[in-house]
Amino acid sequence: MKLAIFNEARLGVVQGDCLVDVTSALPEWEQGPFSGWWNRFSESFSSRSADLARAAKSGKQIPLDAVRLQAPALSPTKIVAAAANYKTHVQEMRTLDHAKWLYEFGVFLKAPSSIVGPDTVIVLPEVGKRNIQHESELAFVIGKGGKDIPVERAWDHILGYTCLIDVTVRGDGDRSERKSYDGFCPLGPWLVTSDEIPDAQNLQIRLWVNGELRQDCNSSDMIKTIPEFVSYASRVMTLNPGDVMTTGSPPGVGDIREGDEIVVEIERVGRMAVRATRKS
Ligand code: MN
């Protein structure tokens, strides 16, 4: 099932070029981005997918053009990001970046307030001589939360998958600051639930800037697999329903400039386009 959050945080099920508003099938739904309904829904989705499918079948189809899609995440308690998780990207960073970093697998946090939906304009901040770059990433949302999740149980904790652009100010300084400006986390266009992704470890991820292909890699190139990432992160912090996790960037990171159109596409998941502008 493709779950979309749209307009004033309503829930839709996407069918082709349309969606069906299924908000009335959610007793926990409340208006407002901090009401918490999405997190409760994420936790209980598996027991309710049949109800939702029924609601989606009988509801009226609305063309996607007629709605405003929002990011498929509402007030997650955190965005957990994998650092340096593609073999080829690690090699690339070693040649680009002279900082004495240890390029070993680790996780870091990106501020949830950086999330924006598809069809959004990223307002590029003033960052002096440093570059602002794109990282195209396969992201997922946690359904059932947990702590110390064993690798072999990790798949059971994933609600579904989406596209994420981890916008980053390249250079020295704290990573959480460089990646947490408002608008630095375009997410979308919707969430494809896990049952529709037979092998998340074999998905092609592509990113174009103004039509030029910059990133083109398969999720099979990850150093730590998705279950290993979930398990690793959950040994540090409790993963809560609705949390966003992003698996790290493939190679080909590059600059984003004013006026650029950035498109990310992940096989079986979807395609999202955002534009970059400067504060006027
Ligand atoms: Mn990243």
Side-chain angles (χ1 to χ4, degrees):
M1 198 175 284
K2 288 189 175 77
L3 301 171
I5 297 177
F6 72 102
N7 295 354
E8 304 304 317
R10 301 185 70 78
L11 184 70
V13 172
V14 178
Q15 299 171 339
D17 295 334
C18 294
L19 66 69
V20 176
D21 186 341
V22 294
T23 313
S24 59
L26 305 176
E28 69 270 62
W29 191 84
E30 280 178 75
Q31 205 144 22
F34 303 106
S35 68
W37 72 264
W38 169 254
N39 312 65
R40 295 196 290 280
F41 169 78
S42 298
E43 186 170 35
S44 63
F45 173 75
S46 56
S47 62
R48 303 169 56 190
S49 56
D51 286 350
L52 277 189
R54 231 182 336 267
K57 216 171 172 183
S58 58
K60 189 175 134 241
Q61 293 205 327
I62 308 166
L64 285 174
D65 291 348
V67 301
R68 183 170 171 80
L69 291 177
Q70 310 286 357
L74 284 173
S75 56
T77 66
K78 52 195 164 298
I79 304 169
V80 188
N85 196 27
Y86 277 80
K87 293 163 200 155
T88 36
H89 178 56
V90 169
Q91 287 159 8
E92 171 185 61
M93 295 303 287
R94 277 190 177 137
T95 57
L96 286 177
D97 202 332
H98 300 290
K100 285 178 185 159
W101 285 15
L102 288 172
Y103 286 98
E104 283 177 5
F105 183 79
V107 298
F108 63 91
L109 298 179
K110 194 172 163 84
S113 46
S114 64
I115 293 176
V116 287
D119 309 320
T120 317
V121 175
I122 310 169
V123 180
L124 300 174
E126 184 48 61
V127 293
K129 288 204 170 96
R130 295 182 296 170
N131 297 336
I132 297 172
Q133 295 198 320
H134 55 75
E135 301 185 352
S136 60
E137 306 195 5
L138 172 66
F140 54 90
V141 170
I142 292 294
K144 189 159 57 88
K147 177 80 172 70
D148 299 324
I149 297 167
V151 172
E152 60 275 15
R153 304 291 305 167
W155 290 118
D156 304 341
H157 291 263
I158 298 176
L159 171 61
Y161 299 86
T162 189
C163 309
L164 184 149
I165 305 174
D166 180 14
V167 182
T168 302
V169 177
R170 199 59 69 197
D172 295 333
D174 184 77
R175 185 157 43 191
S176 67
E177 178 181 324
R178 292 188 287 106
K179 289 171 175 281
S180 288
Y181 288 85
D182 282 6
F184 269 27
C185 190
L187 191 72
W190 42 64
L191 197 70
V192 180
T193 52
S194 298
D195 55 300
E196 293 199 1
I197 306 283
D199 185 3
Q201 222 61 75
N202 183 20
L203 299 174
Q204 201 68 23
I205 300 163
R206 294 189 180 90
L207 180 140
W208 294 261
V209 177
N210 303 327
E212 178 203 339
L213 183 63
R214 294 252 188 104
Q215 298 191 269
D216 186 8
C217 193
N218 195 282
S219 60
S220 60
D221 189 51
M222 284 180 199
I223 295 168
K224 293 279 184 200
T225 62
I226 291 165
E228 287 170 327
F229 172 33
V230 169
S231 179
Y232 180 97
S234 76
R235 290 203 295 275
V236 181
M237 57 193 109
T238 300
L239 301 178
N240 293 316
D243 279 356
V244 176
M245 297 185 72
T246 187
T247 56
S249 181
V253 299
D255 294 347
I256 299 174
R257 296 190 179 86
E258 182 178 8
D260 283 350
E261 188 200 36
I262 304 128
V263 174
V264 60
E265 186 176 272
I266 302 181
E267 194 183 352
R268 291 180 180 271
V269 176
R271 181 179 192 275
M272 167 174 72
V274 294
R275 229 165 228 298
T277 185
R278 285 250 175 232
K279 239 182 224 151
S280 52

